[in-house]
Amino acid sequence: MSSISSFQQAYEEYSKQNFQKSYSLFDKSLETLKQDSVMLEEKNMIFINLEKYEEALIYLDKILIIDPNDIEILIRKGKSCEALGKTEQAIECFNQILSIQTYNVGALRGMAIIFINQEKYEDAMINLDQILQTDPNSFEAMYFKGIVLEQLGQHAQAVNYYLKSLKITSNDTSVLQSISLHLVHLLGK
């Protein structure tokens, strides 16, 4: 029995003043709803991992019906929207998160990336600075701040942030290569 039909039966019993039966059916409905929610989360993660973001959005929206302020789901939705080029929807998701948690690093990161892609470097800088206030050792925020500073022509500061991010970063060769390319470019000027 689906959570919806169970809920409808519970409501019917409640209307008939069969409170004990209504209570039991509401409990059953809620348990089914929790199981449905877990299944929806698993399905959306499969689609995200397959980079099938349109399909993921279908399941993310269903989960958000159950809990419209689920921060992790809103982050996934924002990232999926951004990957699909649905920038305004992504910004709405990230802003909703920030209205709940002012310094949510995932939402601030998402906004910063959007602003970098839109060449709104000053706006990106605000988000990156907020991330660094929350997590001063975020190599990713330092790396992106280096990119922003480089785009703004502040090369000495950009080099400084690239070097800071190198000190913190893991041994991820793709990250190290990317930072190294920026440094070679800037130091060659």
Side-chain angles (χ1 to χ4, degrees):
M1 178 181 327
S2 76
S3 57
I4 294 171
S5 62
S6 181
F7 179 79
Q8 288 169 335
Q9 283 183 338
Y11 185 74
E12 287 171 16
E13 292 300 325
Y14 180 81
S15 298
K16 295 177 191 174
Q17 295 190 351
N18 293 334
F19 299 119
Q20 189 59 40
K21 187 164 185 163
S22 173
Y23 176 81
S24 173
L25 288 168
F26 274 123
D27 260 3
K28 187 175 183 178
S29 175
L30 288 172
E31 190 56 41
T32 305
L33 190 60
K34 288 177 190 173
Q35 291 169 357
D36 290 349
S37 177
V38 169
M39 182 186 67
L40 290 172
E41 283 196 47
E42 294 300 322
K43 282 187 173 181
N44 88 66
M45 286 305 297
I46 290 168
F47 286 122
I48 288 172
N49 288 325
L50 292 171
E51 297 181 9
K52 293 186 175 190
Y53 300 109
E54 285 290 349
E55 291 89 342
L57 285 175
I58 292 167
Y59 292 98
L60 292 166
D61 285 337
K62 288 179 182 182
I63 296 168
L64 289 170
I65 289 170
I66 298 166
D67 182 0
N69 292 321
D70 185 318
I71 290 174
E72 183 58 37
I73 299 304
L74 286 167
I75 286 188
R76 290 183 204 164
K77 182 176 179 179
K79 288 179 178 180
S80 295
C81 288
E82 196 226 333
L84 291 167
K86 297 180 177 185
T87 307
E88 292 306 313
Q89 286 178 289
I91 290 171
E92 285 176 25
C93 288
F94 296 137
N95 278 331
Q96 184 176 346
I97 294 165
L98 294 172
S99 72
I100 299 165
Q101 284 184 351
T102 308
Y103 287 98
N104 182 284
V105 173
L108 291 168
R109 179 190 176 280
M111 293 288 282
I113 290 170
I114 289 170
F115 290 140
I116 290 169
N117 290 335
Q118 293 177 338
E119 298 181 6
K120 295 179 179 177
Y121 301 118
E122 290 81 9
D123 292 332
M125 187 74 76
I126 292 168
N127 287 280
L128 295 169
D129 286 340
Q130 287 177 325
I131 292 170
L132 290 169
Q133 285 176 4
T134 303
D135 181 6
N137 293 318
S138 170
F139 84 88
E140 188 178 53
M142 288 182 198
Y143 170 70
F144 285 129
K145 189 166 180 175
I147 290 173
V148 168
L149 290 166
E150 183 177 352
Q151 294 301 316
L152 292 172
Q154 298 174 21
H155 297 146
Q157 292 98 327
V159 167
N160 184 37
Y161 275 93
Y162 288 138
L163 291 173
K164 283 181 182 180
S165 67
L166 272 175
K167 287 180 186 175
I168 296 171
T169 192
S170 65
N171 292 326
D172 183 332
T173 55
S174 64
V175 172
L176 295 173
Q177 273 184 323
S178 182
I179 294 171
S180 297
L181 288 173
H182 283 283
L183 286 170
V184 167
H185 176 259
L186 285 172
L187 296 173
K189 287 189 172 194

